Amino acid sequence: MVRLITHNLLACHAKGCTSNNFPLQFQDVSIELRDADFNADFLRGFLPRLEWPALVGAARQLGDTSLPAEQPDMIDDEFLQKLHHVLLEIHVEEGAMVCPNCKHVYPISNGIPNMLLAEHEIG
Amino acid sequence: MSRPELVAPPEIYYGDVEAKKYTNNSRIQQIQADMTYRALELLNLPPDEPAFLLDIGCGSGLSGEILDEEGHLWAGLDIAPSMLEVALEREVEGDLFLQDIGQGIGFRPGSFDGAISIRRFDNTLRRSISVLQWLLNAETSHPTSSPPHRLTRFFTTLHAALKNPSRAVLQFYPTSDDQIQLITSIAQKAGFGGGIVVDYPNSKKARKVFLCLFVGGGGGAQQV
Ligand SMILES: [Zn+2]
């Protein structure tokens, strides 16, 4: 499963691709929704690690518009519930992620992204 | 009997049957669980805080299940599609990636609170294999495939992907002091502190070796 929690951390690692290599763009994706245990402590702790605009953009690409464009100052339970759903309950099952810089395509099959590089792409 | 990492690269070695056999063996599950608990201990995470961890060579998710039970979230990397298939069948909680860590990993700086890597046992050869051993296995003559290149890319990108301070605990089976020297010197060049932790050093059977790497001070309260 690719969930937005890990997508928000993923950058292209092809040779020489060191700038504008994040976030990877979703392409032709199909998603599944699955319930996950809600953990407010984890979400609060993880919040500073998120690239907010990238998360909102990726969520919109997947058809979820529940998050505000700007990260709110007040972290209440209602907001954490939305964040929980976006980060942990949307699973990308098929499709691909494309690097915005070098255009490398990372295919996603059966929920597993193939991060393998070709010989000439290895740094 | 030869060590399996000298026989074939893992993506060839782990067929579907092998992967299932491995995962269904209860003795292996117990050993894997014990090692995962020990690795968690060595990670020295802040108590009672759920962490986001990287499982390197996650296989069928046996270690991941322990991480779930302990309340952590995780992402797992493995080069063997058949092991990842079994992980999917077992409905593990972590996000799985097909990845050759010798090519380096692509995560933003400070993504993870820690990383673990626990050996996998091979049923047919009855030997355990660790991710570090696979990295030492050069399967082609191409210069980017030499063990030092593979180790350098792995440690450099792992160091970047970890939070400061934090730790990575990688269990392995060194075959010689030279091997330990090579691995630790490349890890140091990549910015890691720390070193080797040996459990039960005087027991041939129970002896366990962990490469315990520190980012920054390594975090946590007490020393290993
Ligand atoms: Zn790229």
Side-chain angles (χ1 to χ4, degrees):
Chain A
M1 319 71 96
V2 194
R3 293 176 296 184
L4 290 187
I5 188 169
T6 34
H7 173 266
N8 198 262
L9 302 173
L10 267 186
C12 180
H13 67 299
K15 184 179 188 173
C17 194
T18 50
S19 61
N20 189 33
N21 59 346
F22 168 88
L24 303 178
Q25 302 296 309
F26 285 118
Q27 201 174 64
D28 304 324
V29 293
S30 60
I31 60 165
E32 262 179 41
L33 302 180
R34 262 175 259 155
D35 290 343
D37 293 337
F38 177 72
N39 186 331
D41 288 343
F42 175 80
L43 293 169
R44 281 179 198 278
F46 202 80
L47 206 48
R49 223 172 293 181
L50 291 168
E51 284 281 345
W52 192 258
L55 179 66
V56 174
R60 290 189 178 165
Q61 266 196 301
L62 301 182
D64 189 297
T65 55
S66 62
L67 295 180
E70 303 262 331
Q71 193 177 313
D73 297 327
M74 259 292 289
I75 309 299
D76 56 17
D77 230 45
E78 192 193 337
F79 167 74
L80 287 178
Q81 289 285 359
K82 286 177 187 163
L83 184 64
H84 166 74
H85 177 70
V86 168
L87 285 180
L88 298 168
E89 295 190 323
I90 307 175
H91 296 252
V92 179
E93 292 293 323
E94 302 290 332
M97 295 180 288
V98 183
C99 172
N101 182 40
C102 76
K103 309 298 175 200
H104 180 96
V105 176
Y106 297 96
I108 303 169
S109 168
N110 207 5
I112 299 176
N114 180 340
M115 306 306 287
L116 300 175
L117 300 173
E119 193 70 59
H120 70 276
E121 294 173 311
I122 303 172
Chain B
M1 200 175 289
S2 62
R3 285 172 163 258
E5 67 267 24
L6 303 178
V7 178
E11 66 272 28
I12 295 168
Y13 200 77
Y14 284 103
D16 289 351
V17 178
E18 238 9 88
K20 283 211 181 72
K21 264 197 216 161
Y22 173 92
T23 308
N24 293 333
N25 182 316
S26 63
R27 187 179 146 263
I28 289 169
Q29 287 183 4
Q30 188 53 52
I31 296 173
Q32 188 90 9
D34 291 346
M35 297 235 240
T36 307
Y37 284 120
R38 177 61 175 141
L40 274 174
E41 210 171 85
L42 291 170
L43 270 188
N44 208 16
L45 296 164
D48 306 319
E49 273 179 39
F52 194 63
L53 303 174
L54 184 63
D55 185 353
I56 302 158
C58 62
S60 53
L62 290 173
S63 297
E65 256 175 18
I66 307 291
L67 301 182
D68 293 338
E69 281 170 23
E70 294 296 304
H72 302 303
L73 281 81
W74 57 278
L77 316 176
D78 208 284
I79 195 174
S82 57
M83 298 294 275
L84 293 172
E85 288 292 320
V86 179
L88 281 181
E89 278 174 34
R90 299 173 66 241
E91 300 184 329
V92 297
E93 299 285 328
D95 286 2
L96 306 170
F97 294 88
L98 178 65
Q99 189 141 27
D100 176 359
I101 55 160
Q103 297 183 341
I105 57 175
F107 292 99
R108 289 199 287 112
S111 288
F112 296 97
D113 298 304
I116 63 162
S117 180
I118 306 295
R119 65 76 181 269
R120 313 126 132 229
F121 184 84
D122 183 281
N123 230 359
T124 306
L125 295 172
R126 305 213 154 270
R127 293 302 291 255
S128 301
I129 316 160
S130 74
V131 156
L132 286 176
Q133 256 93 25
W134 287 112
L135 283 175
L136 289 166
N137 178 21
E139 64 258 43
T140 72
S141 55
H142 198 281
T144 62
S145 296
S146 77
H149 275 93
R150 289 169 64 76
L151 286 164
T152 300
R153 278 192 301 265
F154 169 59
F155 283 131
T156 309
T157 53
L158 175 63
H159 187 270
L162 290 167
K163 217 176 67 178
N164 185 357
S166 68
R167 293 183 185 183
V169 175
L170 303 101
Q171 186 252 331
F172 75 127
Y173 295 84
T175 50
S176 68
D177 286 346
D178 284 354
Q179 209 176 59
I180 293 179
Q181 186 56 39
L182 176 71
I183 289 169
T184 50
S185 70
I186 293 177
Q188 261 166 28
K189 265 187 223 144
F192 283 111
I196 302 281
V197 173
V198 184
D199 287 356
Y200 309 107
N202 300 319
S203 161
K204 221 177 166 186
K205 250 189 153 172
R207 186 183 151 90
K208 301 276 182 298
V209 183
F210 295 88
L211 180 62
C212 199
L213 298 174
F214 293 5
V215 178
Q222 73 271 22
Q223 283 299 303
V224 179

